[in-house]
Amino acid sequence: MHAAGLAAPAGTPRLRKWRTWLAEEIGRERVWRGRRGGWRGHSRSDGGQEIQDLVFLGVHSAGMPSPGRGRVAASKRRVPVSQPGMADPHQFFDDTSSAPTRGYGGQPSPGGLGYPSPSSSHEAPFLADPMSNMAMAYGSSLAAHGKELVDKNIDRFIPVTKLKYYFAVDTVYVGKKLGLLVFPYLHQDWEVQYQQDTPVAPRFDINAPDLYIPAMAFITYILVAGLALGTQDRFSPDLLGLQASSALAWLTLEVVAILLSLYLVTVNTDLTTIDLVAFLGYKYVGMIGGVLVGLLFGKIGYYLVLGWCCVSIFVFMIRTLRLKILAQAAAEGVPVRGARNQLRMYLTMAVAAAQPLLMYWLTFHLVR
Amino acid sequence: MAFTLYSLLQAALLCVNAIAVLHEERFLKNIGWGTDQGIGGFGEEPGIKSQLMNLVRSVRTVMRVPLIIVNSITIVLLLLFG
């Protein structure tokens, strides 16, 4: 029974625990010894983690403390875990976007069988069935092959994995972020949490930039602009396209101008282009609020809400960009010379001041 | 709101053409923006002027051939479609 127990993976639970208890002790010992310098996982690539891996507890059999304890401790902090089963070990968020691809092989068979041949004396449709079967199977395999090709090559043109990071949001994050955009005055900690040199997914850190809110806000802005024009009898469908094009053109111009000035002032920052697009897209939220209130309560309401949102976005941008643009100099140990830091401060203030101006420019013609 | 993506594209093309047209010897050297006049020390942070000069030189080098192609296409399209 013991020999069979060693060979067979599925034993009784008690037998399995006996078999793995020693391994657990040894494994735990190895993991705990690393505690002085932090968690030094012996089989994982992430070191220095004080956080218990929730998923790891369930998957890995050796070297684990009891699941109950780990689960309670880990549920207090919503921190991403590195699943050993995931293909990309550097992806620090749960990629919930990929739908299970059931392959196209399942389709032809019900289609083929679905063709009834009621009269067996009728030869033509009966003979045509295998042909149509084959044709459908060939077509579906061609489609699957094409899909594979696109999936392999899409990463060359559009950085899909990087973009997926910016859309890893959930409802709680969106709610908190919208609140932060409208009322940033009480928020204390503006640092983005990092996990081994990569920023944490927006789902877990409210300070991380995301592209979901800017994208949705942009589309909502277009729709609200159409609504505003419609209530004033000035609507025509091509005006929607004009609004969209205009807003996108201003966004592009802003991004190019900021990238150019960052290059000229030689700021070493980890602010990527997509980060910048995300930050510059946050002003659409205030614009939507202003236009909607302007539709309901007239010009007074519009000016009040827009003024409030302008100040909020100004403060938000300064507090966010200050950490990205100015902190680099302090963190690198570069001697803080007055002129250089002053230039960076001017740049931050210019970027932040451009936001209210653009918010007004893009909405004042909608509210009459 | 006449500011569309198309006008942005036009403006960008005209700007890049303008940078490509600046003559090295007759013009840039005379105002001190020549490519051999911007060399600072190695340990120093490059100032704004040297960054600008680097940018001008890079744009001129990189965009020379693509500009020919894009300009030809633009000319043909504008002739055909106004």
Side-chain angles (χ1 to χ4, degrees):
Chain A
M1 186 176 144
H2 289 300
L6 280 171
T12 63
R14 221 175 57 187
L15 180 68
R16 200 164 54 214
K17 181 131 171 56
W18 172 83
R19 235 180 352 106
T20 57
W21 172 83
L22 197 58
E24 276 178 355
E25 279 299 299
I26 296 174
R28 190 187 306 154
E29 185 60 28
R30 286 188 58 184
V31 174
W32 272 100
R33 211 185 300 133
R35 188 127 189 156
R36 262 177 239 128
W39 284 86
R40 244 179 283 124
H42 45 89
S43 61
R44 295 181 281 145
S45 55
D46 53 342
Q49 295 303 313
E50 288 285 337
I51 306 146
Q52 314 223 359
D53 270 352
L54 179 59
V55 178
F56 213 68
L57 287 171
V59 174
H60 207 67
S61 63
M64 282 302 118
S66 63
R69 193 177 74 205
R71 206 164 289 140
V72 165
S75 62
K76 292 211 182 103
R77 270 186 82 164
R78 302 169 67 209
V79 175
V81 298
S82 54
Q83 303 185 26
M86 274 171 78
D88 183 3
H90 296 295
Q91 218 177 8
F92 286 107
F93 57 94
D94 299 331
D95 190 356
T96 52
S97 69
S98 48
T101 49
R102 302 254 158 222
Y104 296 95
Q107 289 178 11
S109 32
L113 292 172
Y115 283 103
S117 52
S119 51
S120 54
S121 59
H122 227 4
E123 294 280 309
F126 185 68
L127 272 179
D129 269 350
M131 281 305 293
S132 64
N133 255 352
M134 255 172 48
M136 260 189 298
Y138 179 67
S140 70
S141 81
L142 211 60
H145 181 70
K147 183 178 186 308
E148 262 180 53
L149 209 65
V150 167
D151 280 340
K152 253 191 295 176
N153 288 334
I154 192 79
D155 214 31
R156 259 192 259 156
F157 301 110
I158 312 172
V160 180
T161 330
K162 274 190 257 172
L163 274 182
K164 278 190 179 176
Y165 161 80
Y166 289 98
F167 285 99
V169 296
D170 62 350
T171 324
V172 175
Y173 169 82
V174 171
K176 283 198 199 161
K177 191 84 183 200
L178 287 177
L180 195 66
L181 282 171
V182 175
F183 197 77
Y185 309 106
L186 294 180
H187 190 66
Q188 298 298 328
D189 180 26
W190 293 82
E191 279 270 351
V192 179
Q193 291 176 34
Y194 277 79
Q195 195 179 23
Q196 299 162 44
D197 287 343
T198 36
V200 163
R203 207 176 284 150
F204 304 108
D205 176 25
I206 193 183
N207 293 319
D210 73 311
L211 273 180
Y212 175 78
I213 292 180
M216 293 292 132
F218 178 73
I219 297 175
T220 314
Y221 161 72
I222 307 285
L223 295 175
V224 165
L227 179 71
L229 289 174
T231 54
Q232 295 160 23
D233 274 339
R234 286 190 288 151
F235 181 77
S236 78
D238 53 322
L239 276 183
L240 276 184
L242 203 65
Q243 286 289 327
S245 182
S246 173
L248 268 181
W250 278 112
L251 188 71
T252 316
L253 195 65
E254 267 192 285
V255 171
V256 167
I258 295 178
L259 282 178
L260 184 70
S261 34
L262 281 179
Y263 170 76
L264 287 180
V265 181
T266 57
V267 175
N268 286 330
T269 173
D270 60 345
L271 201 64
T272 64
T273 315
I274 309 184
D275 271 349
L276 212 49
V277 173
F279 286 135
L280 294 173
Y282 281 140
K283 63 173 171 296
Y284 292 118
V285 177
M287 282 156 64
I288 295 168
V291 175
L292 282 176
V293 172
L295 283 178
L296 290 172
F297 298 114
K299 280 215 137 178
I300 305 287
Y302 166 69
Y303 281 127
L304 277 176
V305 173
L306 197 73
W308 175 271
C309 290
C310 282
V311 177
S312 310
I313 283 285
F314 184 73
V315 171
F316 178 87
M317 291 296 287
I318 288 221
R319 288 203 182 155
T320 313
L321 288 180
R322 192 167 46 127
L323 284 174
K324 296 261 175 183
I325 298 183
L326 286 175
Q328 302 294 323
E332 281 169 1
V334 170
V336 176
R337 274 173 282 165
R340 174 151 302 272
N341 253 13
Q342 216 179 20
L343 211 55
R344 294 181 192 205
M345 197 62 202
Y346 282 154
L347 177 64
T348 320
M349 300 207 64
V351 171
Q355 308 295 307
L357 289 177
L358 276 174
M359 281 169 73
Y360 178 71
W361 184 257
L362 284 172
T363 52
F364 77 99
H365 62 282
L366 294 173
V367 180
R368 295 251 174 104
Chain B
M1 205 70 342
F3 186 47
T4 61
L5 276 176
Y6 178 64
S7 59
L8 193 66
L9 217 61
Q10 275 183 320
L13 186 62
L14 287 173
C15 281
V16 178
N17 270 329
I19 297 182
V21 157
L22 298 172
H23 198 278
E24 203 39 72
E25 287 174 5
R26 293 184 206 154
F27 176 66
L28 291 180
K29 284 215 171 69
N30 287 343
I31 61 169
W33 277 28
T35 53
D36 49 350
Q37 295 167 333
I39 301 177
F42 278 111
E44 292 289 316
E45 283 264 351
I48 293 190
K49 186 176 163 194
S50 70
Q51 289 284 89
L52 257 181
M53 279 155 39
N54 269 337
L55 189 65
V56 165
R57 183 165 55 106
S58 333
V59 169
R60 286 167 53 84
T61 322
V62 167
M63 296 297 284
R64 192 152 293 208
V65 171
L67 258 187
I68 300 175
I69 302 173
V70 174
N71 276 336
S72 324
I73 296 178
T74 312
I75 291 173
V76 168
L77 284 179
L78 281 179
L79 278 178
L80 286 178
F81 300 116

